[in-house]
Amino acid sequence: MAPGREAAFVLALSLFVAVAAAARLAPEKFGEEKTYAPPYGGTPSGSSPTTPDVPYSPTPAVPSNDSPTVPAVPDVPYTPPYTPTTPYTPDPSAPTTPSTPTPSTPGTCSWWSSNTSSFPDVISIFTTILDLFGTLSGSGSSPLSSITSIFGNSMTIQQGLTSTRNDGYGALLRQGSAAILNSYTRRDYAYSPFQVKLQFRNALGSQQQAFQMASLFENANLAMGRRQ
């Protein structure tokens, strides 16, 4: 480099250094610029200071003009309504099975009362007890008074078979009526017609005698059914 240029360069550099040094010293000398250090150690900023926070104030509730609140009704346990049962009404159109009557034992009072067609020829449903037992061939006796006083003079054999009298004479009347029919229609019956009439008349002396003879006649009548 030429000596003249070199001298000019050195001079210019010296001026630049001097200006730079003066610029660094200027703020410290005149106090035109200060640095703010925040208490919490933050980094200073050259921007405008921030606006402090405004404390929160809650907005008071505005009362409503609506209707007042109705208190809740407590739950009531559910109870189903009572439904009455419908009474049973039989269907008139439905066919019914008729009951089968229990057949009676042949030779008994009930059997003879419902089988009048089997009566012997000498006896009908209109034959009276007085006619059957009032006279006894070969005995020479006729106790009409005993028979009429106990059974009357118009009691028929059909009525005797179905009598509901519940004393000894009533039992003798029913069983004796069946016994006389059995004696006329069955050869193997325990008594002959004569014996039936005689025992019947002899049993009219008392209720006890009538019960005893009725029991014997009943056993003989039931035996007819077992022999069928």
Side-chain angles (χ1 to χ4, degrees), residues 105-109 175 178 182 186 188-191 215-228:
T105 303
T108 61
C109 307
Q175 300 303 331
N182 287 326
R186 296 294 299 269
D188 55 348
Y189 188 62
Y191 303 94
S215 178
L216 294 175
F217 280 152
E218 183 178 14
N219 290 335
N221 296 336
L222 290 172
M224 290 291 93
R226 292 192 290 266
R227 294 173 187 172
Q228 294 296 324

Side-chain angles (χ1 to χ4, degrees), residues 116-131:
T116 57
S117 60
S118 298
F119 278 19
D121 295 338
V122 295
I123 301 175
S124 72
I125 59 175
F126 302 110
T127 303
T128 64
I129 298 298
L130 182 61
D131 290 338

